[in-house]
């Protein structure tokens, strides 16, 4: 009963955030499986309503029925079987779903990958507006990192995302963190940080403006704000093919 009441409140709140995830363009009809990655700290889910909103927006975009409505039942079953080592510390919950419904919910203990350098990579062909389990185009970019820990993908001359995270750049003069207005994926943590006025959108974060910024932060559902911060010198230029 408590769980169903909790979800009722979460669904109510998620409606507020629905516009944050509504896609601008029609998604590819080839998408058949999506995923949500949630962060749990000591068993408590962070930013639940943002994940529900993104699931709802994705189902609308693909003209699927609203699969998120099945979550309370599936979540109750899955979380009762959560491994003991996932009940403390930081855990990733992975919800995989398709047009017919929720396919699986799995849990694993999480520790972040060390990122100390980023390689700029052209990604004009990459379309990842919905969080698909098919990450082939992103992994092709990641494979071009050429000795760096990760890549920062550039689309139409604008910065977008790394292979796993949204980004924000610190503007020395404005004393503000700016995030690309057109990321590859509208992250749930990104939506939260925008809503709280921690970061601000900029539609023209281009290569020729690099000197305006001194630091770059990487964040996603699993990474805390400020957990990964690099100086701009950690951003390395494109390599010749």
């Amino acid at each position: 009963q408590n769980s169903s009441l909790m979800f009722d409140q979460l669904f109510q709140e998620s409606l507020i955030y629905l516009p944050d995830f509504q896609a601008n363009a029609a998604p590819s009809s080839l998408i058949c499986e999506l995923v949500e990655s949630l962060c749990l700290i000591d068993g408590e889910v962070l930013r639940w309503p943002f994940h529900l909103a993104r699931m709802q927006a994705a189902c609308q975009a693909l003209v699927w029925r609203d699969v998120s409505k099945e979550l309370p039942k599936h979540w109750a079953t899955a979380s009762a079987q959560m491994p003991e080592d996932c009940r403390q510390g930081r855990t990733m919950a992975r919800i995989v779903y398709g047009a017919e419904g929720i396919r699986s919910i799995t849990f694993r203990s999480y520790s972040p990958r060390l990122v100390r350098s980023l390689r700029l990579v052209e990604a004009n062909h990459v379309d990842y507006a919905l969080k698909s389990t098919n990450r082939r185009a992103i992994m092709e970019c990641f494979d071009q990192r050429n000795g760096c820990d990760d890549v920062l993908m550039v689309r139409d001359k604008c910065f977008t995302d790394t292979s796993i995270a949204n980004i924000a750049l610190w503007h020395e003069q404005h004393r503000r963190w700016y995030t690309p207005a057109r990321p590859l994926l509208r992250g749930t943590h990104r939506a939260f940080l925008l809503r709280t006025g921690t970061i601000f959108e900029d539609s023209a974060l281009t290569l020729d403006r690099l000197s305006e910024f001194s630091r770059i932060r990487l964040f996603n559902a699993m990474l805390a704000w400020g957990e990964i911060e690099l100086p701009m010198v950690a951003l390395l230029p494109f390599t010749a093919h």
Side-chain angles (χ1 to χ4, degrees):
Q1 197 57 48
N2 279 357
S3 167
S4 116
L5 190 62
M6 176 194 82
F7 269 104
D8 285 349
Q9 291 167 340
L10 293 172
F11 279 118
Q12 270 312 113
E13 193 184 336
S14 74
L15 296 175
I16 303 165
Y17 309 130
L18 200 52
D20 300 13
F21 301 103
Q22 278 161 337
N24 302 332
S28 160
S29 56
L30 301 172
I31 291 174
C32 57
E33 187 173 76
L34 297 178
V35 61
E36 278 296 318
S37 301
L38 286 71
C39 184
L40 286 78
I41 303 290
D42 297 334
E44 294 295 316
V45 178
L46 302 186
R47 299 178 287 274
W48 242 135
F50 288 91
H51 288 283
L52 294 173
R54 187 163 63 180
M55 286 181 80
Q56 290 158 19
C59 290
Q60 285 176 8
L62 292 165
V63 201
W64 291 356
R65 62 195 176 77
D66 183 4
V67 167
S68 73
K69 293 291 182 275
E70 295 174 17
L71 254 180
K73 179 182 68 184
H74 285 271
W75 186 260
T77 307
S79 54
Q81 297 164 0
M82 191 190 299
E84 208 49 52
D85 66 331
C86 292
R87 294 177 190 274
Q88 273 91 41
R90 183 164 28 175
T91 292
M92 177 194 281
R94 194 174 145 83
I95 302 168
V96 176
Y97 62 104
E100 82 293 345
I102 289 169
R103 295 180 179 177
S104 65
I105 299 177
T106 53
F107 300 93
R108 70 173 174 85
S109 197
Y110 180 86
S111 53
R113 184 170 88 204
L114 198 60
V115 179
R116 286 173 300 202
S117 57
L118 295 169
R119 174 76 61 190
L120 290 172
V121 169
E122 209 167 84
N124 291 332
H125 62 293
V126 178
D127 175 13
Y128 196 67
L130 299 177
K131 195 170 168 67
S132 167
T133 52
N134 179 357
R135 287 171 45 85
R136 189 176 302 136
I138 288 175
M139 293 320 291
E140 283 170 5
C141 289
F142 182 68
D143 289 343
Q144 297 171 46
R145 65 193 180 281
N146 200 8
C148 289
D149 296 320
D150 203 342
V151 293
L152 176 52
M153 291 173 278
V154 178
R155 189 172 60 182
D156 304 329
K157 298 190 173 62
C158 289
F159 299 122
T160 60
D161 301 340
T162 75
S163 71
I164 58 154
N166 291 132
I167 66 157
L169 304 172
W170 176 251
H171 196 288
E172 279 298 325
Q173 271 185 309
H174 299 178
R175 313 299 293 169
R176 268 187 175 188
W177 289 99
Y178 287 107
T179 195
R182 288 180 60 242
L184 294 179
L185 179 71
R186 292 166 190 263
T188 52
H189 196 173
R190 175 184 179 275
F192 171 81
L193 292 169
L194 284 167
R195 288 259 175 190
T196 53
T198 309
I199 62 174
F200 299 85
E201 283 191 325
D202 189 321
S203 56
L205 286 176
T206 50
L207 283 169
D208 54 9
R209 290 181 56 204
L210 266 185
S211 61
E212 295 174 34
F213 304 97
S214 61
R215 290 176 280 154
I216 179 168
R217 280 188 178 179
L218 278 49
F219 53 93
N220 58 24
M222 298 304 302
L223 293 171
W225 171 244
E227 185 172 8
I228 297 187
E229 180 177 311
L230 307 171
M232 290 306 276
V233 292
L235 205 52
L236 296 171
F238 297 98
T239 47
H241 291 302

